[in-house]
Each structure stands twice: as structure tokens, then as C-alpha cells.
Amino acid sequence: ILNVEQSPQSLHVQEGDSTNFTCSFPSSNFYALHWYRWETAKSPEALFVMTLNGDEKKKGRISATLNTKEGYSYLYIKGSQPEDSATYLCAPNSAGNKLTFGGGTRVLVKP
Amino acid sequence: DSGVTQTPKHLITATGQRVTLRCSPRSGDLSVYWYQQSLDQGLQFLIQYYNGEERAKGNILERFSAQQFPDLHSELNLSSLELGDSALYFCASSAWTSGSHTGELFFGEGSRLTVL
């Protein structure tokens, strides 16, 4: 079982501010790192799938970086908006595309 | 709409009973996953099927079983239900195949099980 840690567990952000949070995972036997966005009363939706060390992905105001050698990924939200409020989950996958999810970072953007 | 369909959306039953949750994956996806989300817990991996065969198993209780049928839909059977089995059960599917490293998951809306 992979040990996946996300920090912080939750954070409050003022509208317009930028923020970032971390996902730590075992660096050995790495295949890919997934980020998902999970809004309340909805289902998780994929944001990024990252495979290469140094990978950077961007979707609108949200971006992510990946360091496979040290086993961490950062997710950044630039100019946070209330609609960015959600739980952000990371999940490395092991062989066979088995994803192990971290506990998530719950983001609340305050107007 | 992810294209993954789960039924029922809500289910209330009593301890000791047995229920079946059903999942239809996205068209063409061979891989199906089941996850459990209990109160204040994250997504816990239960089991994965690929093209009808069990591929990976997580911390799935012996009282729980699953299968994937030839038409690729999957069912999760929960028996001898206990209060602690109350949770949201998600099914997800992926276009991942055995020849590739990774594939994103598409989640259904979940089946909320309440055991009284």
C-alpha cells in the first residue's frame, strides 16, 4: 500500500490570493501522479496526469509540478476564485494503473 | 457527465442484509474500479477489474465481493452489512490498457449506502 500524504489538510484562501499545496508519495516504482478536483456533492474529476520528472501542467489558473526523484508534487491556484473551492486529491499509480488517493487538501475560497 | 453510471444512487437497509451496487463504465473502457468513502475518510481503494478479470485488490472486506461481466459492467456485493459499512461507494472506469502506464479515472456519481 502506497503512503500518500497531502498537506495541509485544509486551507482558507481570500478571493484573489494565490495558494499552493503538496502531495508526497514514494519515489520508487513511479508510474504517474494524478490530481483530481472534488467539489461537494459531485464526483472527483481529473485535473492532471503527470508522468515525467520536472513535468509542469496547467489548466486555466491551476497548475502543477512534479518531482519524481524526491517524491512530491505541488498544485498551485493563481488568483483564487470561489469556484475553486473543492477538495484536491492526488494519487500516484502503481503498476496496473491502481491509484492510491491521498487524504486531500480542502480549499475554501472566501469572497 | 462522466459517462459512468451507478445504481442505485441511494440505498437504505438494515444490519445483516445484503445489497448489490451496479456500475456501467464509459463506453469502451475495460478497467473498472471500486472505491469507498466513509465519513471523514478519504477514498479507499477496494478492487479493480480489467476486461473481466480481477486486477488488483485493496482493503476489501471478505463480506464484500465484486465481479465484472462480459459486457464490462460491474457489481459490488456487500453482505452481512454492519453500521460501519455506511458509506459512499464510487465506481470509476479508465481507458487504461495493460500496455500503457497510466490512464485517468472517470468517476460515477456514487451510491450512498446507509445501514440502520
Side-chain angles (χ1 to χ4, degrees), chain A residues 1 31-34 36 38 42-46 49 51 89 93-103 106, chain B residues 31 33 35 37 42-43 45 48 55-59 88 90 94 96 101-110:
Chain A
I1 298 178
Y31 286 82
L33 192 283
H34 298 227
Y36 288 77
W38 191 2
K42 294 188 177 180
S43 306
E45 291 185 354
V49 179
T51 56
L89 302 170
N93 73 255
S94 50
N97 206 48
K98 174 190 164 187
L99 271 67
T100 300
F101 285 88
R106 183 176 296 180
Chain B
S31 201
Y33 307 73
Y35 285 86
Q37 193 224 353
L43 284 174
F45 172 73
Q48 175 195 5
R55 181 77 193 199
K57 211 174 214 182
N59 294 327
L88 187 55
F90 281 107
S94 173
W96 174 84
H101 284 299
T102 190
E104 69 180 84
L105 301 191
F106 294 85
F107 283 83
E109 294 183 344

Side-chain angles (χ1 to χ4, degrees), chain A residues 52-68:
Chain A
L52 299 175
N53 185 43
D55 235 358
E56 291 189 28
K57 299 264 186 178
K58 186 175 181 181
K59 184 180 287 189
R61 292 177 291 95
I62 301 177
S63 60
T65 60
L66 177 66
N67 183 321
T68 62

Side-chain angles (χ1 to χ4, degrees), chain B residues 29-108:
Chain B
D29 284 358
L30 300 178
S31 201
V32 170
Y33 307 73
W34 287 97
Y35 285 86
Q36 178 193 55
Q37 193 224 353
S38 302
L39 191 64
D40 292 334
Q41 297 284 317
L43 284 174
Q44 301 297 315
F45 172 73
L46 293 179
I47 198 163
Q48 175 195 5
Y49 281 84
Y50 176 70
N51 202 21
E53 300 289 326
E54 182 183 304
R55 181 77 193 199
K57 211 174 214 182
N59 294 327
I60 186 167
L61 299 172
E62 286 191 9
R63 299 183 286 109
F64 296 2
S65 65
Q67 54 184 326
Q68 185 180 28
F69 294 86
D71 68 352
L72 301 177
H73 91 270
S74 178
E75 292 181 356
L76 179 66
N77 301 295
L78 315 173
S79 62
S80 302
L81 285 167
E82 301 175 359
L83 296 178
D85 298 328
S86 296
L88 187 55
Y89 292 85
F90 281 107
C91 169
S93 74
S94 173
W96 174 84
T97 62
S98 58
S100 57
H101 284 299
T102 190
E104 69 180 84
L105 301 191
F106 294 85
F107 283 83

Side-chain angles (χ1 to χ4, degrees), chain A residues 67-98:
Chain A
N67 183 321
T68 62
K69 295 187 187 306
E70 297 182 40
Y72 64 85
S73 176
Y74 291 127
L75 193 124
Y76 301 87
I77 305 176
K78 183 178 179 182
S80 303
Q81 298 298 309
E83 58 264 30
D84 296 326
S85 297
T87 297
Y88 293 83
L89 302 170
C90 72
N93 73 255
S94 50
N97 206 48
K98 174 190 164 187

